[in-house]
Amino acid sequence: MMVRITKRRLFQCMLPVFLLCGLYGAYTVMSGNPLAGKVILIDAGHGGIDPGGNRPGIQEKDVNLAVALKLKEVLNNYGAKVVLTRAADQDLSSECNNEKIIGRYRRDLAARLEMAEESDTDLFISIHANTNSNARRRGAETFYDRKSDRGKALASAIQTELSKVTPAAAQAAPANYFLLRRNKIPATLLEIGYITNPEDKRLLQSAEHQQKLAEAIARGISNYYQGLLLPQ
């Protein structure tokens, strides 16, 4: 026996589904995702002719890029839009538009800031790996410009999450880095480990650990935005 379903009856059956979908969408907008629609610049430090710190078998520029690319994927999954200063092993000095800036190193740094300004980004995250003459020194560190309260809040939120997946400094610290000092938006520079420490070096070359770092950084960014939404 064939049952005939009218359009009206079909609509009545589907109405609860439509309502549930609408409620879910409203819940997502109101409560779920502080990163939705945010534009975040991820800066993989060094690149091209500039390897950054290096030791046999490892170059900082490669570690920085690997984590940056993984962080991009994680942030995209959070609903954020991501701008990369570089997606390959390249120097950025040729991208600098300011002819008054002289020298490859200075032009490379200036180009990274120009990208943030031209892309109208909300945050600037610069990823680096550290070196030290003391091979026992290890762990992640985050830095901010001392004049930026939001930069400090951002760096602190990320530092808290990094400390859950890797040895880390007790708290974020102020620093006089060009990329922090000259930024017009909240910015932090991350040192995700020491390539001069044997254990950090091993971890920084591990894709699994790189993914953990990327996820921790993304959680920190999300927590930063959630903190901004809380009543002051």
Side-chain angles (χ1 to χ4, degrees):
M1 174 176 161
M2 184 178 293
V3 178
R4 184 180 181 84
I5 300 178
T6 65
K7 291 183 179 179
R8 181 177 180 180
R9 179 59 178 165
L10 179 62
F11 176 78
Q12 290 173 337
C13 292
M14 294 299 294
L15 183 59
V17 177
F18 296 149
L19 290 173
L20 285 173
C21 290
L23 289 172
Y24 176 78
Y27 172 80
T28 300
V29 170
M30 290 187 296
S31 67
N33 195 351
L35 292 186
K38 299 297 183 183
V39 182
I40 300 172
L41 184 141
I42 303 173
D43 171 42
H46 307 285
I49 195 174
D50 177 11
N54 65 92
R55 290 297 185 273
I58 186 171
Q59 291 188 318
E60 180 193 348
K61 64 177 183 177
D62 298 328
V63 173
N64 300 342
L65 181 59
V67 174
L69 293 175
K70 288 177 169 59
L71 178 56
K72 177 184 184 298
E73 291 185 6
V74 177
L75 289 174
N76 284 158
N77 290 336
Y78 271 82
K81 300 176 182 178
V82 173
V83 176
L84 294 172
T85 55
R86 65 182 182 96
D89 181 16
Q90 63 183 108
D91 168 82
L92 300 178
S93 59
S94 63
E95 303 296 322
C96 179
N97 296 320
N98 189 340
E99 296 180 357
K100 295 181 179 180
I101 298 177
I102 300 173
R104 187 210 61 79
Y105 179 71
R106 293 182 63 197
R107 290 181 62 81
D108 177 88
L109 292 178
R112 296 168 196 261
L113 287 182
E114 287 177 357
M115 287 185 190
E117 294 171 1
E118 293 168 1
S119 304
D120 195 26
T121 53
D122 298 302
L123 296 179
F124 188 103
I125 313 293
S126 189
I127 298 175
H128 292 258
N130 223 333
T131 61
N132 195 279
S133 57
N134 181 358
R136 290 179 296 179
R137 187 164 182 176
R138 65 176 305 205
E141 300 165 304
T142 62
F143 298 96
Y144 60 90
D145 178 60
R146 66 176 64 253
K147 295 181 180 180
S148 174
D149 291 338
R150 290 200 171 183
K152 180 179 180 179
L154 173 63
S156 298
I158 293 174
Q159 183 73 10
T160 296
E161 292 302 315
L162 283 173
S163 69
K164 297 176 182 178
V165 300
T166 192
Q171 59 187 12
N176 192 33
Y177 294 128
F178 176 85
L179 290 176
L180 301 178
R181 186 177 69 251
R182 298 291 295 274
N183 237 306
K184 298 178 181 179
I185 57 176
T188 182
L189 188 147
L190 314 179
E191 297 280 5
I192 54 176
Y194 282 79
I195 64 174
T196 44
N197 175 272
E199 182 61 14
D200 272 7
K201 177 182 176 182
R202 182 186 67 81
L203 289 171
L204 290 172
Q205 292 176 295
S206 160
E208 180 180 359
H209 185 70
Q210 292 169 0
Q211 184 67 31
K212 289 180 180 180
L213 292 172
E215 291 172 358
I217 296 167
R219 287 195 303 270
I221 296 171
S222 179
N223 292 344
Y224 161 77
Y225 274 115
Q226 287 177 337
L228 295 182
L229 296 174
L230 294 175
Q232 302 297 314

